[in-house]
Amino acid sequence: MVLENGTAYRAAVEIEDADNYAFVERGLLGERIPVIVTNIRVFNETGDAAFDDEGSSVTFPKGNYTVTFAGPVRDSTLQAAFDRPYDIELIIPPPFHVENPFLGMVSPGAEINEENGTVTVRWDQVRSFESRFYDPGREQALVIFGTFWIALCALFLVPYLLMKRPG
């Protein structure tokens, strides 16, 4: 879930038969880059579990757990890669959107739903996902920029075409 100001997210990951979880993202060459996260919680049906925070990972007694944490959003983009397929649900609050292909994007296989201004993006059984969102200010800037360039092209193109007209 992206927080209301768009600068951070909260996540919950269900893990099975594990004794650690690493907070990493993939770099341009596929390398594992540590991500700084806060508000880490490890729990299961019996309650909170004791864990050791090792900076970019946590360790705990082997078992089935849910790990929750918060992390930063950089450049209005969220991405993650996993060691096995997961069902992913990303909730993006108003006023943010992902629909405009010039400003936003979602990785393939996503189902996008919008209800009351909240955008929900779902992926079924994927090993990675990526989503870029934008606010209305960026969309307005794109329209202004596009209008300016179309007007500029028309300003120079129309006189040129009139001069080249046979006759």
Side-chain angles (χ1 to χ4, degrees):
M1 167 187 250
V2 175
L3 299 184
E4 286 76 23
N5 63 8
T7 61
Y9 67 90
R10 281 192 308 243
V13 179
E14 294 179 6
I15 54 176
E16 297 174 353
D17 196 32
D19 61 0
N20 65 46
Y21 185 79
F23 305 104
V24 294
E25 64 185 15
R26 300 283 181 192
L28 290 175
L29 302 174
E31 73 275 18
R32 295 168 56 96
I33 301 171
V35 176
I36 304 301
V37 297
T38 58
N39 299 328
I40 301 169
R41 182 175 171 221
V42 179
F43 62 95
N44 59 16
E45 65 277 350
T46 63
D48 287 349
F51 64 91
D52 292 324
D53 185 351
E54 299 172 359
S56 63
S57 67
V58 291
T59 58
F60 37 80
K62 192 169 189 166
N64 299 334
Y65 296 97
T66 299
V67 179
T68 62
F69 56 94
V73 172
R74 286 189 268 296
D75 301 324
S76 300
T77 301
L78 279 176
Q79 64 179 356
F82 307 104
D83 56 350
R84 66 179 184 85
Y86 278 96
D87 289 337
I88 308 294
E89 181 178 80
L90 175 60
I91 300 170
I92 303 171
F96 303 109
H97 296 281
V98 297
E99 294 84 8
N100 188 320
F102 294 111
L103 299 171
M105 63 81 65
V106 293
S107 54
E111 177 187 322
I112 303 170
N113 293 312
E114 184 173 348
E115 187 174 315
N116 298 327
T118 299
V119 177
T120 303
V121 185
R122 289 188 175 90
W123 293 267
D124 292 328
Q125 296 296 299
V126 294
R127 287 185 177 267
S128 66
F129 79 94
E130 183 175 8
S131 179
R132 183 176 60 244
F133 56 90
Y134 58 90
D135 61 19
R138 286 188 189 177
E139 192 167 28
Q140 185 178 19
L142 177 66
V143 169
I144 291 168
F145 181 76
T147 303
F148 171 76
W149 280 105
I150 289 171
L152 191 62
C153 288
L155 180 68
F156 289 108
L157 191 59
V158 169
Y160 174 77
L161 293 174
L162 288 175
M163 288 176 27
K164 289 290 186 180
R165 201 173 71 183

